[in-house]
Amino acid sequence: MTTILHIESSPRKQRSASLEVAREFIFHYRQCHPSTVVKSLDLWSASLPEFDADAMAAKYAGLSGATLTAPQEHAWNQLRSQAAPLHEADILVFSVPLWNFSIPYKLKHFIDLVSQKDILFSFDPEKGFGGLLENKKAVVVYARGLNYMKGSFTPAPEFDFQKPYVEAWLKFIGITDVSSLIVEKTLFGPDIDTEARALANRQAQQLAATLASPQHTKPSPSLT
């Protein structure tokens, strides 16, 4: 039985393109595998703790092998709890709108909390880093108001700090089977917005069928 975790980082629940396309993917994946369990983590309603002095002290105590104090242990257990759904899921689905050419601060907050040694990655002085979320798949839906294609006034190589960051982070924590769905030009008026969403939804349906297939063994290419 497959477990999907949908991580929602858009507060725009009714008109969010990233949420719409992610839900389209999940719906069609469940059409192929009705027993799939779907869980949601809405970062706008989740109680995300602060990465405060106790959490920072626990981080460095863990790096040095020192014993944690009671407050540090509590802070570290909170971080483990935040990361637990990532470990439990087989497929991670992210809804990621582009904010200021990057990701929403709620998603960055979550990433900063859970990206810790022995929680999402390991570290060996001789071998370096190792991701702890191996053998999982990720589907990331990126929504953008403008056009980031080559030749636009916001070409991706200069302005896109959204997709490269998310993919670098996923690779760092051990997820290499990553598929991307991109919805662009959502601010170009209702006709273009409707067409862009419809195209992305069709791609989401195709991707769901591909990932649900028993023959799927390799990372899927980005769909744009």
Side-chain angles (χ1 to χ4, degrees):
M1 183 172 62
T2 300
T3 297
I4 291 177
L5 175 65
H6 181 194
I7 300 173
E8 306 177 18
S9 60
S10 174
R12 195 177 180 220
K13 303 309 178 187
Q14 300 302 317
R15 286 288 298 158
S16 168
S18 65
L19 290 176
E20 177 184 330
V21 176
R23 289 166 179 161
E24 187 75 8
F25 167 82
I26 293 169
F27 175 81
H28 284 275
Y29 190 95
R30 291 193 73 185
Q31 291 286 97
C32 299
H33 294 289
S35 62
T36 299
V37 174
V38 178
K39 300 181 180 180
S40 295
L41 174 57
D42 182 355
L43 297 179
W44 290 90
S45 62
S47 179
L48 299 178
E50 293 299 318
F51 193 84
D52 56 15
D54 287 328
M56 184 65 76
K59 176 188 180 80
Y60 281 100
L63 291 172
S64 65
T67 301
L68 273 61
T69 65
Q72 293 168 5
E73 186 74 33
H74 174 72
W76 201 249
N77 286 338
Q78 282 189 305
L79 301 184
R80 289 188 179 278
S81 177
Q82 293 290 330
L86 302 178
H87 286 277
E88 295 164 0
D90 303 294
I91 301 176
L92 304 178
V93 178
F94 293 85
S95 295
V96 186
L98 184 142
W99 284 19
N100 294 316
F101 310 115
S102 186
I103 64 175
Y105 69 91
K106 287 285 188 178
L107 178 57
K108 184 59 167 63
H109 184 178
F110 178 73
I111 289 174
D112 286 344
L113 290 174
V114 298
S115 301
Q116 307 298 332
K117 177 180 174 292
D118 299 327
I119 294 181
L120 290 190
F121 68 89
S122 61
F123 178 72
D124 182 286
E126 296 182 359
K127 298 180 180 179
F129 296 104
L132 299 180
L133 293 186
E134 296 179 327
N135 302 316
K136 298 182 185 293
K137 298 179 177 66
V139 174
V140 189
V141 180
Y142 301 99
R144 304 162 177 178
L146 302 177
N147 179 2
Y148 288 78
M149 300 295 289
K150 182 179 180 180
S152 70
F153 55 81
T154 50
E158 297 178 46
F159 290 91
D160 179 13
F161 300 95
Q162 175 198 41
K163 185 171 181 284
Y165 176 81
V166 172
E167 292 190 350
W169 173 65
L170 289 171
K171 182 178 180 181
F172 179 72
I173 61 176
I175 304 176
T176 57
D177 190 340
V178 180
S179 302
S180 301
L181 295 161
I182 300 176
V183 194
E184 290 191 335
K185 299 183 285 187
T186 60
L187 296 179
F188 280 48
D191 292 340
I192 294 178
D193 177 43
T194 299
E195 181 180 348
R197 289 170 185 255
L199 174 60
N201 281 328
R202 291 195 297 270
Q203 293 172 338
Q205 296 170 20
Q206 296 168 2
L207 178 61
T210 299
L211 296 190
S213 170
Q215 285 73 42
H216 174 73
T217 56
K218 296 181 180 180
S220 299
S222 297
L223 299 173
T224 59

